[in-house]
């Protein structure tokens, strides 16, 4: 049957009113007359009886059409196909054979009347959780994809999380205040998305990388406690846990210290966790940045499992020359991995090298003795020292990574070992999936050396506060790396949920930071003049943070990709495959904006 020929089947909704959602009927409803509306999930034609599963966002229910009892509805049901939109009037009856897999499995609806409200083309994939469709197809037909129970559930969960956040923020006295989307560049360190101005040809707005400056100005405005569930835009290379537009819980508070920000966020997180029935304990643990790096090889450590790193540089020192070591060596004991095959170890070494290791070393620990390629260089005693340092037991594998420190102040070897730690965590099933480990990371340096720019850059953004004792170091170029920031991050299960800081609230200090970042006073004025001015009109001490809502929703939903919790996400190439954007525009539109496109290669 051709799609448009089916159109004469269609009924109008008339005055029919839905009484229930498909997924909510239970045994207690038996005997009730109901009107349901939804999509045909599946149809099974047994001649005298036609069964359909009717689906809406709440779930599925089985509907039965009896040829004898309701001949008209039964005849009509013969034309139902997958994803047709139907309204059904009927009576709830107990099923002879209940289906324990389905929440509505104890009942079925005996149809007395059927309205076909719309037809549907044959969908390119079945609307099921375990679809075989590739992601491109799913994103192209996102409206069908979103009908899958898993995505529907994720979207509902996201709504609940955001709602709970809003309630908690309100209870704590925060005002939700919108800040502009058409604005000017904010220094979060990514590329801006620009929007050309028609009224001012040749001039551009930038979409906000964050509302950072505006929220600080709201503190200068005396609004005291601001929050916003806000879209931010960063034109960066994308990864599974990044999207070009993403949503933050952004907040800022006046007359506070770090402790008050932590308190507010902990309350929010505790409440957000309630949406998935998880109780998290407060206060969250604190970890210094340098300890996070040295113990876990990451500034966003996954604290659900141990496998802590050990600095093995002293144990490797006797072999420094022979092994050609240029930096430090960090390692750990992988329990029970002493039996790993040659092939498994080769894979491990590859992993380490891909993560930037100069070399990856292993020692197999056994009751009869240790074995390792390192024995030639370090001797049996040397191996023993390594094994002792990592606390490895017979049956374990000691894994050590050596890397050259390319960037001042970073423990390159620890970062590589941290990647291998995660690899083993997965491989050895050491990561309990039902555990939630939140931690505050503090003690960040204010500046980081950027190899590409050959200059100091803000580790977070240039408004991050400074430890008062370190202020004088701002004017000592060779000691900039030592300046301690008042920044902090919140991490959850190996993901950075967000970062923030107590801010600089004095204009003189802010001007010195811009200078230390290599901005001349004129450049600083040109970019942030309005903000520097605002700072001179009575700025209260203030601070804040922003948390990634998409990431929180992804982790709570147990998903691995942000795309599973965003209704209309972008691909890794920053495209919307459904709306087909970005896309070329009419030359008339470009003319109006005074823009000419150079030859571009796609
Ligand atoms: N604006 C920062 C960000 O988006 C957060 C903050 O410092 O409050 O990461």
């Amino acid at each position: 049957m051709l799609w448009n020929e089916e159109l004469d089947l269609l009924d109008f909704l008339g005055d029919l009113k839905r009484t229930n959602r498909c997924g909510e009927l239970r045994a207690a409803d038996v005997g009730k007359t109901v009107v349901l509306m939804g999509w045909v999930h599946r149809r099974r034609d047994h001649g005298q009886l036609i069964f359909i599963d009717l689906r809406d966002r709440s779930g599925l229910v089985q509907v039965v059409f009896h040829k004898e009892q309701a001949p008209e509805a039964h005849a009509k049901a013969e034309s139902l196909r997958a994803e047709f939109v139907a309204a059904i009037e009927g009576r709830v009856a107990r099923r002879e054979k209940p289906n324990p897999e389905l929440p509505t499995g104890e009942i079925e609806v005996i149809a007395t009347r059927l309205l076909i409200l719309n037809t549907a083309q044959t969908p390119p994939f079945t609307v099921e959780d375990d679809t075989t469709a590739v992601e491109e197809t799913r994103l192209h037909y996102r409206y069908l994809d979103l009908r899958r129970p898993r995505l529907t559930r994720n979207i509902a969960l996201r709504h609940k999380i955001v709602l709970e956040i809003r309630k908690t923020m309100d209870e704590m006295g925060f005002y939700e205040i919108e800040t502009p989307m058409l604005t000017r560049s904010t220094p979060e360190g990514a590329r801006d998305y620009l929007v050309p101005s028609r009224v001012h040809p040749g001039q551009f707005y930038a979409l906000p990388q964050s509302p950072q400056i505006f929220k600080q100005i709201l503190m200068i405005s005396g609004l005291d406690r601001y929050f916003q569930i806000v879209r931010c835009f960063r034109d960066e290379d994308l990864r599974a846990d990044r999207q070009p537009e993403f949503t933050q819980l952004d907040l800022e508070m006046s007359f506070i210290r770090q402790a008050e920000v932590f308190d507010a966020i902990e309350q929010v997180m505790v409440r957000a966790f309630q949406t998935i029935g998880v109780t998290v304990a407060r206060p969250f643990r604190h970890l210094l940045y340098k300890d996070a790096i040295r113990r876990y090889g990451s500034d966003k450590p996954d604290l659900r499992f141990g496998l802590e790193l050990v600095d093995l540089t002293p144990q490797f020192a006797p072999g420094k020359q022979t092994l050609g070591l240029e930096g430090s060596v960090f390692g750990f004991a992988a329990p029970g991995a002493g039996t790993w095959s040659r092939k498994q170890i080769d894979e491990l070494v590859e992993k380490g090298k891909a993560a930037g290791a100069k070399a990856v070393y292993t020692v197999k620990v056994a009751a009869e003795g240790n074995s390792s390629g390192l024995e030639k260089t370090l001797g049996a005693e040397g191996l023993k020292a390594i094994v002792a340092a990592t606390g490895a037991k017979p049956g374990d594998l000691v894994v050590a990574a050596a890397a050259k420190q390319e960037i001042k102040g970073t423990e390159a070897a620890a970062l590589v070992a941290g990647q291998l730690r995660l690899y083993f965590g997965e491989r050895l099933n050491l990561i309990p999936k039902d555990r939630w480990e939140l931690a505050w990371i503090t003690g960040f340096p204010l500046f980081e050396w950027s190899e590409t720019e050959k200059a100091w850059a803000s580790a977070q953004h240039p408004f991050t506060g400074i430890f008062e004792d370190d202020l004088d170091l701002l004017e000592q170029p060779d000691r900039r790396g030592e300046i301690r920031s008042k920044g902090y991050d919140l991490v959850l299960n190996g993901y950075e949920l967000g970062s923030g800081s107590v801010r600089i609230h004095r204009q003189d200090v802010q001007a010195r930071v811009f200078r230390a970042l290599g901005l001349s006073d004129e450049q600083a004025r040109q970019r942030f003049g309005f903000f520097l001015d605002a700072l001179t009109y009575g700025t209260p001490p203030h601070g804040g943070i922003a948390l990634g809502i998409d990431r929180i929703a992804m982790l709570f939903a147990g998903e691995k990709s942000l795309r599973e919790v965003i209704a209309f996400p972008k691909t890794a190439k920053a495209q919307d495959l459904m709306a087909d954007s970005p896309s070329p525009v009419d030359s008339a539109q470009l003319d109006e904006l005074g823009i000419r496109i150079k030859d571009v290669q796609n």
Side-chain angles (χ1 to χ4, degrees):
M1 202 181 331
L2 281 174
W3 185 58
N4 46 7
E5 284 174 15
E6 293 164 354
L7 296 177
D8 4 311
L9 290 176
L10 293 190
D11 297 299
F12 290 111
L13 189 53
D15 55 5
L16 203 61
K17 195 165 171 305
R18 171 164 74 165
T19 60
N20 293 84
R21 291 241 158 82
C22 300
E24 69 189 25
L25 296 174
R26 298 288 181 274
D29 299 303
V30 167
K32 283 190 191 153
T33 299
V34 293
V35 176
L36 304 175
M37 298 184 192
W39 286 263
V40 175
H41 188 67
R42 216 177 277 116
R43 189 187 67 118
R44 291 179 308 275
D45 195 337
H46 292 189
Q48 290 289 328
L49 293 180
I50 296 176
F51 293 91
I52 66 162
D53 286 341
L54 194 68
R55 185 195 66 236
D56 64 18
R57 74 172 200 199
S58 67
L60 289 179
V61 68
Q62 174 163 295
V63 180
V64 194
F65 296 89
H66 284 270
K67 191 165 187 171
E68 270 158 33
Q69 294 173 20
E72 203 181 315
H74 179 273
K76 221 166 168 182
E78 286 181 344
S79 16
L80 290 175
R81 297 288 176 272
E83 301 311 313
F84 276 29
V85 185
I88 281 143
E89 195 172 55
R91 191 173 36 79
V92 182
R94 196 175 286 280
R95 274 209 217 183
E96 266 172 38
K97 274 191 245 131
N99 175 356
E101 310 263 294
L102 218 57
T104 58
E106 283 186 83
I107 57 103
E108 59 193 4
V109 176
I110 313 293
T112 48
R113 201 173 148 207
L114 165 67
L115 299 186
I116 301 182
L117 302 177
N118 219 336
T119 57
Q121 297 194 66
T122 306
F125 53 88
T126 50
V127 176
E128 302 269 6
D129 272 351
D130 44 0
T131 173
T132 50
V134 295
E135 201 182 15
E136 282 71 29
T137 314
R138 289 177 43 208
L139 290 174
H140 185 93
Y141 298 96
R142 189 60 161 179
Y143 35 89
L144 297 176
D145 197 25
L146 285 167
R147 287 183 196 167
R148 291 164 58 232
R150 173 165 150 192
L151 282 204
T152 307
R153 217 169 29 238
N154 289 353
I155 297 294
L157 172 65
R158 185 183 172 120
H159 159 74
K160 286 267 181 287
I161 296 169
V162 171
L163 182 65
E164 206 51 43
I165 290 176
R166 282 209 161 94
K167 283 198 231 160
T168 317
M169 296 306 290
D170 176 61
E171 285 163 24
M172 294 189 297
F174 285 80
Y175 292 162
E176 182 160 17
I177 308 174
E178 287 159 282
T179 51
M181 288 288 116
L182 296 177
T183 176
R184 59 185 296 148
S185 188
T186 24
E188 297 285 356
R191 236 174 265 114
D192 287 321
Y193 278 101
L194 297 175
V195 180
S197 160
R198 176 184 58 81
V199 184
H200 303 279
Q203 296 190 26
F204 294 82
Y205 302 98
L207 299 180
Q209 289 187 34
S210 84
Q212 185 62 36
I213 296 180
F214 285 100
K215 68 172 173 174
Q216 290 191 242
I217 288 183
L218 288 171
M219 297 302 101
I220 303 174
S221 314
L223 285 156
D224 201 87
R225 286 181 169 210
Y226 140 95
F227 88 101
Q228 188 180 187
I229 305 287
V230 65
R231 201 69 66 82
C232 301
F233 304 85
R234 296 183 194 174
D235 188 359
E236 303 180 281
D237 293 333
L238 306 180
R239 302 191 303 243
D241 64 343
R242 279 216 183 129
Q243 281 275 310
E245 51 178 311
F246 58 96
T247 308
Q248 287 190 339
L249 160 63
D250 193 45
L251 65 87
E252 199 73 11
M253 310 164 76
S254 290
F255 303 112
I256 48 89
R257 298 151 308 145
Q258 171 182 290
E260 281 90 350
V261 179
F262 284 13
D263 182 63
I265 288 294
E266 291 188 4
Q267 291 195 47
V268 167
M269 287 308 295
V270 166
R271 291 276 293 272
F273 264 107
Q274 287 172 3
T275 61
I276 51 165
V278 170
T279 311
V280 285
R282 293 184 54 196
F284 301 166
R285 83 166 100 174
H286 289 208
L287 205 61
L288 287 173
Y289 167 73
K290 71 170 193 313
D291 292 337
I293 301 286
R294 292 182 64 83
R295 288 170 59 190
Y296 302 99
S298 169
D299 58 359
K300 40 180 194 295
D302 190 339
L303 301 169
R304 288 174 298 173
F305 67 108
L307 233 58
E308 285 195 29
L309 310 184
V310 184
D311 184 353
L312 295 173
T313 317
Q315 287 74 14
F316 274 78
K320 196 165 189 268
Q321 290 283 324
T322 330
L323 300 171
L325 299 177
E326 286 184 278
S328 33
V329 182
F330 275 77
F332 56 89
T339 52
W340 271 31
S341 68
R342 184 63 204 239
K343 186 162 162 271
Q344 284 172 305
I345 291 186
D346 286 347
E347 270 169 27
L348 165 72
V349 172
E350 278 316 303
K351 243 327 324 129
K353 294 221 163 128
K358 173 144 186 306
V360 176
Y361 305 102
T362 55
V363 182
K364 286 188 173 178
V365 186
E368 329 65 89
N370 305 314
S371 61
S372 167
L374 286 168
E375 189 163 0
K376 287 197 295 296
T377 319
L378 298 175
E381 286 309 306
L383 293 191
K384 264 195 200 150
I386 292 174
V387 171
T390 58
K393 299 191 183 49
D396 295 354
L397 182 74
V398 174
V399 181
K404 189 175 157 209
Q405 188 162 304
E406 301 285 356
I407 301 170
K408 239 188 337 216
T410 56
E411 274 296 1
L415 295 179
V416 176
Q419 297 281 321
L420 297 179
R421 170 183 177 266
L422 290 176
Y423 177 72
F424 274 97
E426 289 285 347
R427 291 291 301 259
L428 302 179
N429 267 329
L430 299 174
I431 310 179
K433 298 285 179 249
D434 55 354
R435 234 166 108 176
W436 302 93
E437 289 294 339
L438 287 145
W440 291 108
I441 313 291
T442 57
F444 290 99
L446 187 70
F447 297 126
E448 270 169 4
W449 180 254
S450 156
E451 260 314 298
T452 39
E453 311 273 317
K454 300 271 180 249
W456 289 102
S458 296
Q460 287 177 326
H461 50 61
F463 313 116
T464 309
I466 308 176
F467 266 73
E468 284 77 14
D469 290 348
D470 296 352
L471 278 172
D472 287 344
L473 301 181
L474 279 172
E475 283 77 32
Q476 299 180 41
D478 52 331
R479 297 191 61 193
R480 281 204 183 122
E482 296 168 35
I483 305 177
R484 290 166 297 165
S485 101
K486 289 190 179 170
Y488 35 77
D489 278 1
L490 180 65
V491 301
L492 170 61
N493 292 359
Y495 285 87
E496 181 195 310
L497 286 191
S499 64
S501 55
V502 170
R503 321 294 182 190
I504 298 167
H505 72 281
R506 277 173 37 184
Q507 197 269 353
D508 58 326
V509 177
Q510 189 65 69
R512 285 166 68 186
V513 167
F514 283 141
R515 265 177 240 135
L517 284 168
L519 282 182
S520 69
D521 288 356
E522 296 78 73
Q523 284 167 323
R525 273 227 74 75
Q526 202 193 2
R527 286 188 64 190
F528 308 114
F530 69 107
F531 181 60
L532 288 170
D533 286 345
L535 284 176
T536 63
Y537 286 94
T539 303
H542 61 284
I545 190 168
L547 299 188
I549 298 284
D550 311 280
R551 275 188 201 169
I552 294 176
M554 174 181 87
L555 294 171
F556 282 18
E559 295 289 359
K560 291 223 155 25
S561 160
L562 292 175
R563 294 190 286 273
E564 304 296 336
V565 295
I566 298 176
F568 302 106
K570 305 254 183 320
T571 63
K573 284 192 170 155
Q575 285 167 308
D576 175 340
L577 297 181
M578 183 188 74
D580 194 17
S581 78
S583 59
V585 296
D586 288 349
S587 54
Q589 280 177 296
L590 289 177
D591 286 346
E592 216 169 25
L593 295 166
I595 290 179
R596 193 168 42 238
I597 305 288
K598 287 200 209 164
D599 285 341
V600 278
Q601 276 163 358
N602 277 317

